[in-house]
Amino acid sequence: MCPLVLLRWGGCCSRLLPPPPPGLWSARGGGGGGVRWRRGLFSGFPSAASHWSKVVSEAEKIVGYPTSFMSLRCLLSDELSNIAMQVRKLVGTKHPLLNTASQRSLAEITELIHTAFLVHRGIVNIGELKSCDGLLKDMQFGNKIAVLSGDFLLANACTSLAQLQNTKVVELISSAIGDLVQGIYYDNSNLSEENCLTHDIGISTWKEQIFLSHSALLAKSCQAAMELAKHDAEIQDMAFQYGKNMSMSHKLHSDLQPFIKGKPSDSVAFSLNSAPVVLHQEFLGREAWIKQIREAQSKGNLMDFTKLQEAIKAGKGVTSAIDLCHYHGNRALEALECFPPSEARSALENMVYAVTRFS
């Protein structure tokens, strides 16, 4: 779900609610391993898996419509569809309602760009295919469809972006697209030519690359939302910090799932460039890490992920990744303090809670 419209409400809504409960955790030190927390911030919330859908549902009630495109129910309603079409026609005019219609259009543009890159990532490397994977011409056709579909979505997003008629917003979103391309390049080049070995990158390099491929679009879109609402540079920066740290927490939470979810006997494949693995390698040392990988490989160079998973869980990588997730969650919450208490701000806070809860 894209929180841009909620940010607009959080920054401009005049309906004030009681402030959030006291006792926010605070970070001491800069690194993930040196973070210390006070009780209070993440207590009293259900597990992230069950909480996320509830958080999204409550947020959609605040903005008044499903935020991830239009639901089938809305499309089948003549009245709602007519209103939506009329609002879209306001884009490019000076109608007072444009202050809100620009916010929704920007959120849709952001989701279109994100979806376009997801479609492009579905392209199959023909050179790595085997005869048992299927007919080569079917794979080639699928690649063509993925390229054309992703390009179509991206072209529509760029057209809608130009219709916002705000040069700074166009600059921000365009630079985010450039960051995405660079981030995907890093993702694809991180794997070594040698089977199952990763480059020797530290957590600081990992964070730089994840910002490009996962955080830049949301962070700069949140900043652009504040630009459309005519907020000053300080508020725009806080929105940027929220989007950046929220998405970093989300990525860390996703990377941690194979190590904290399921039974110990469950074998789950995971990325060797995920945060717990990178931190584990950083603590362990490159030579010892390569030795663990070799020990987990079978004769056919197939990876025994269960064995490797147990080795990583026995180290410090998992707990350090959890600390880092909490750290970025706390930074996201701090960024929201510049906005007045409201239902929208509470919804944005709940999104952070949902991706920083592990029990």
Side-chain angles (χ1 to χ4, degrees):
M1 150 176 195
C2 186
L4 305 183
V5 179
L6 281 172
L7 264 176
R8 195 269 177 187
W9 281 81
C12 305
C13 183
S14 60
R15 178 168 42 174
L16 300 181
L17 295 177
L24 296 182
W25 294 0
S26 61
R28 298 179 182 178
V35 178
R36 297 180 180 178
W37 306 92
R38 294 204 308 267
R39 292 177 180 265
L41 179 59
F42 298 103
S43 60
F45 290 91
S47 64
S50 61
H51 188 55
W52 181 253
S53 59
K54 182 180 179 182
V55 167
V56 173
S57 178
E58 291 176 350
E60 289 177 342
K61 291 178 182 178
I62 295 173
V63 298
Y65 52 83
T67 53
S68 296
F69 299 107
M70 282 187 161
S71 69
L72 182 61
R73 184 177 178 183
C74 287
L75 291 174
L76 293 177
S77 170
D78 291 338
E79 182 178 358
L80 287 175
S81 297
N82 184 57
I83 292 174
M85 293 302 297
Q86 294 302 322
V87 168
R88 287 175 184 273
K89 292 180 181 179
L90 294 176
V91 176
T93 70
K94 296 183 179 181
H95 195 282
L97 189 59
L98 180 61
N99 290 332
T100 298
S102 261
Q103 295 287 332
R104 176 169 183 175
S105 180
L106 178 61
E108 292 175 349
I109 290 168
T110 301
E111 289 209 37
L112 278 175
I113 294 172
H114 177 66
T115 304
F117 276 89
L118 287 180
V119 172
H120 279 158
R121 287 189 178 191
I123 297 174
V124 177
N125 187 347
I126 301 294
E128 296 179 353
L129 293 179
K130 301 177 182 178
S131 58
C132 60
D133 293 326
L135 294 176
L136 182 61
K137 65 177 183 179
D138 290 341
M139 297 297 181
Q140 291 174 336
F141 177 76
N143 279 354
K144 292 177 181 179
I145 293 298
V147 171
L148 291 174
S149 300
D151 289 350
F152 174 79
L153 293 174
L154 195 57
N156 275 272
C158 292
T159 301
S160 299
L161 183 62
Q163 290 175 349
L164 293 178
Q165 297 183 359
N166 187 304
T167 54
K168 184 174 181 180
V169 170
V170 172
E171 179 184 356
L172 283 169
I173 304 303
S174 299
S175 65
I177 295 174
D179 291 337
L180 270 171
V181 173
Q182 188 175 354
I184 292 173
Y185 171 79
Y186 283 138
D187 287 345
N188 293 334
S189 62
N190 271 343
L191 290 178
S192 173
E193 293 181 0
E194 198 170 0
N195 288 338
C196 295
L197 291 183
T198 57
H199 289 302
D200 187 12
I201 63 171
I203 193 62
S204 59
T205 302
W206 179 89
K207 289 171 70 173
E208 292 173 2
Q209 295 178 2
I210 292 302
F211 171 77
L212 293 173
S213 60
H214 288 80
S215 301
L217 178 61
L218 183 59
K220 293 183 178 182
S221 296
C222 289
Q223 181 181 352
M226 296 297 96
E227 164 66 22
L228 287 176
K230 303 187 185 304
H231 282 292
D232 57 27
E234 182 179 359
I235 297 296
Q236 290 184 30
D237 182 63
M238 290 298 100
F240 176 92
Q241 293 300 326
Y242 173 81
K244 172 186 174 180
N245 288 287
M246 161 64 188
S247 57
M248 290 293 290
S249 292
H250 186 277
K251 175 59 176 173
L252 284 160
H253 183 272
S254 176
D255 282 0
L256 279 160
Q257 292 310 299
F259 302 95
I260 62 176
K261 191 177 181 181
K263 301 178 182 178
S265 60
D266 292 342
S267 178
V268 180
F270 52 86
S271 171
L272 296 182
N273 290 309
S274 61
V277 180
V278 171
L279 285 164
H280 175 74
Q281 179 184 183
E282 198 171 62
F283 283 116
L284 195 64
R286 180 67 174 176
E287 292 184 4
W289 167 238
I290 293 177
K291 182 180 178 181
Q292 284 188 346
I293 290 182
R294 296 303 188 196
E295 292 174 349
Q297 284 179 320
S298 63
K299 294 182 179 179
N301 280 335
L302 296 177
M303 181 66 66
D304 184 351
F305 280 97
T306 300
K307 186 174 183 178
L308 190 61
Q309 185 183 55
E310 291 173 355
I312 294 171
K313 290 172 70 173
K316 300 179 181 179
V318 174
T319 55
S320 296
I322 292 175
D323 286 342
L324 190 60
C325 182
H326 288 165
Y327 170 75
H328 284 288
N330 192 70
R331 291 288 304 274
L333 292 172
E334 288 175 355
L336 291 176
E337 292 178 359
C338 66
F339 300 103
S342 64
E343 288 180 294
R345 173 174 150 176
S346 297
L348 291 169
E349 290 170 343
N350 286 339
M351 291 181 189
V352 178
Y353 299 143
V355 296
T356 48
R357 183 70 174 176
F358 296 96
S359 59

